[in-house]
Amino acid sequence: MSSHETTGDTLDSPAETDTTTAPDIESTPSSGAERGGEWWRTAVIYQVYPRSFADADGDGVGDLPGITSRLDALADLGVDAVWLSPFYTSPQHDAGYDVADYVDVDPLFGTLDDFDALRARATELGLRLIVDLVPNHTSSEHAWFRAAVAAAPGSAERARYMFRDGTGPDGDLPPNNWQSVFGGPAWTRLVEPDGRPGQWYLHLFDTSQPDLDWTNPLVRSDFVDVLRFWLDRGVDGFRVDVAHGMIKADGLPDYTPPADAGSMGGGETADATPPYWAQDGVHEIYREWHQVLAEYPGDRVMVAEAWVEPLSKLAKWVRPDEMQQAFNFAYLETGWSATAIRRVVDQSIETFSSVGAPSTWVLSNHDVVRHASRLALTAENPQGHGIGPKSAGLPIAELGLARARAASAVMLALPGSAYLYQGEELGLPEAVDLPDESRQDPTWFRTEGERYGRDGCRVPIPWESGAPAFGFSATGASWLPQPEDWSTYARDEQQGVAGSTLELYRSALALRAEHELGAAHLTWVEGYDASVVAFRSGGVTVVANTGEVAVELPVGDVLLSTMALDGPALPPNAAVWLASVDDVG
Ligand code: NOJ
């Protein structure tokens, strides 16, 4: 631990602006749980992407026994909970987000017994467990869809899905102009059982992911059964996929998204609500689910994957009788700019507080370019919805890693709940140079290679530098090829090494817990240049430099630093946590 003082007047006595507001809680959650007991309000939740975490059977795809065998590494890291992306029965056309049986484990990942063993090990380690729920669509191999295809138009079986007659002279044009999030039309025409071209079905994602009709009471009751199945098996909650998409506007009107709409959002912007996203009807569904979760002991949680803008609209998903959390994608999409970071933090705390919910924070997941690459993309490709060898403005690895470490240090000091994506604690970059023939994301195929898609953030993670597949699988098999230089990122290369990204995360999580930063009150520290993020929270002062010149640091013992410091100056693209002046000797 080092200590230093600054000489700058403004910085020695920083002014503080309290821009956060006290929660304005409209009503009490029906769970009846004490607010203080609601673990998810401050939790750090680690996303495990099962196919890429650890492979116990050596087939090159990660599995549940692999996860169980490596869970102690997550407890050691200091996270509170694990979220598992889908491991259910699935033909894997969208890496498991195409579910053919919601209440069983795909043999690729193991068995229900393997799930129970994982659950038990997590409990021993004090880790909560959240699973993914994919309610907007099923796989086209789900028994419900097979039955719908075999049945006649207008049948009860078809009524589970969004089947419509086509337009045009012979019904050979789709019912409307909607486009799939993965590219291409959002409608596919069936060949009816008698061999003739027939009705069309809606799929906001791949053709193999038909959308369910959530106005159908049968669909609703089936999903309540699914919730109960996993709650009975002891899960602490659900991450709800496409939680903004289940209800479509009456009449399914045509819609053309603005050119600047993000790819995962599929057309949602602050100014426009497409007829397939963010329809009011979705909230009724979550109110019912809230009641189901409340029947179970403990604090069960739902987190919405809802690409909804602006944050004030997203706050509807986390009203006291709906979900507990929503991913803060506005934060994820904020670039490396102090002004933008301050703005989004203020807006997030204010907006989520206004409905009594904690803000969440997230920088990476399995759908976006890893932040160790994304934060160093250039103006030519500012968000990088999938990058590959031919993308414009590819990131400089060292710059990306420096910014990622600093951004993570800022995130982990913020009040609320933070989500980590497997491998970010190793500083993994996006795997840019994947050979075309190894790519598997439906986006790559549906856009005929125009969009690289998400494979680059899904490459199996490295555990041991000298082992086959860097310890991911004993046989060396890996469903996506791992870049050769990933040996340097392997966990065993970083464990116990001062200054490594792994140790940075471990220290940040330990300090976050010690200073109770998840429940603390954030106050901005003024007096810095516009390129600096500076705040105090829970006895810690955080300073991050997004600019191009070093900045003077205030007085305080250094608790954490993302770069080696040479005196009281913070280099560009770095962040520190200092013991706040008031708390020093
Ligand atoms: C969001 C998931 O995170 C993504 O991976 C998936 O492709 C879509 N929803 C469709 O389920």
Side-chain angles (χ1 to χ4, degrees), residues 133-185:
L133 184 76
V134 188
N136 177 68
H137 44 265
T138 68
S139 159
S140 51
E141 293 187 19
H142 196 291
W144 297 334
F145 191 73
R146 288 178 185 273
V149 170
S155 61
E157 288 83 354
R158 290 235 170 146
R160 277 182 186 277
Y161 292 90
M162 305 287 292
F163 282 95
R164 295 291 183 277
D165 293 333
T167 54
D170 298 310
D172 49 7
L173 296 175
N176 67 23
N177 72 346
W178 296 359
Q179 295 291 297
S180 149
V181 174
F182 294 157

Side-chain angles (χ1 to χ4, degrees), residues 63-309:
D63 45 42
L64 299 185
I67 298 169
T68 307
S69 72
R70 298 280 195 185
L71 266 188
D72 51 345
L74 304 187
D76 178 63
L77 181 62
V79 301
D80 302 299
V82 171
W83 147 36
L84 295 179
S85 279
F87 49 82
Y88 315 111
T89 312
S90 162
Q92 304 291 324
H93 293 309
D94 184 22
Y97 282 93
D98 47 327
V99 180
D101 185 348
Y102 289 91
V103 292
D104 206 351
V105 174
D106 195 287
L108 196 58
F109 298 118
T111 61
L112 279 171
D113 286 345
D114 292 330
F115 174 82
D116 292 340
L118 192 164
R119 164 71 279 184
R121 182 69 185 135
T123 305
E124 275 168 20
L125 292 167
L127 295 168
R128 309 260 183 175
L129 188 64
I130 292 174
V131 296
D132 225 299
L133 184 76
V134 188
N136 177 68
H137 44 265
T138 68
S139 159
S140 51
E141 293 187 19
H142 196 291
W144 297 334
F145 191 73
R146 288 178 185 273
V149 170
S155 61
E157 288 83 354
R158 290 235 170 146
R160 277 182 186 277
Y161 292 90
M162 305 287 292
F163 282 95
R164 295 291 183 277
D165 293 333
T167 54
D170 298 310
D172 49 7
L173 296 175
N176 67 23
N177 72 346
W178 296 359
Q179 295 291 297
S180 149
V181 174
F182 294 157
W187 295 92
T188 291
R189 194 170 196 188
L190 276 191
V191 177
E192 298 292 353
D194 63 7
R196 283 187 299 182
Q199 284 195 300
W200 297 71
Y201 67 90
L202 176 68
H203 50 87
L204 290 180
F205 294 89
D206 190 45
T207 36
S208 62
Q209 294 166 297
D211 281 49
L212 286 161
D213 184 346
W214 274 87
T215 62
N216 183 335
L218 253 188
V219 170
R220 297 202 181 203
S221 66
D222 279 329
F223 271 86
V224 168
D225 293 345
V226 173
L227 290 178
R228 289 191 192 284
F229 178 88
W230 292 107
L231 289 165
D232 289 339
R233 270 198 131 80
V235 304
D236 293 291
F238 302 91
R239 174 265 190 193
V240 180
D241 191 63
V242 198
H244 54 319
M246 287 134 78
I247 298 286
K248 281 78 182 175
D250 283 346
L252 311 182
D254 277 356
Y255 180 76
T256 305
D260 62 345
S263 66
M264 276 316 292
E268 168 79 7
T269 69
D271 307 318
T273 299
Y276 38 84
W277 297 147
Q279 301 297 307
D280 280 344
V282 295
H283 299 290
E284 215 178 279
I285 302 168
Y286 305 136
R287 290 198 183 99
E288 182 183 3
W289 291 2
H290 182 103
Q291 296 299 338
V292 174
L293 265 66
E295 287 172 29
Y296 285 79
D299 293 321
R300 315 284 173 132
V301 58
M302 288 183 287
V303 52
E305 190 238 6
W307 291 82
V308 168
E309 290 179 47

Side-chain angles (χ1 to χ4, degrees), residues 8-20 338-339 342 346 522-536 541-543 552-554:
D9 291 346
T10 40
L11 303 185
D12 273 343
S13 320
E16 293 176 16
T17 329
D18 183 351
T19 49
T20 61
T339 314
R342 281 178 62 128
D346 267 345
L522 180 146
T523 313
W524 295 114
V525 180
E526 303 294 352
Y528 287 96
D529 188 80
S531 57
V532 173
V533 178
F535 59 89
R536 296 179 67 172
T541 298
V542 177
V543 186
E552 267 185 74
L553 285 171

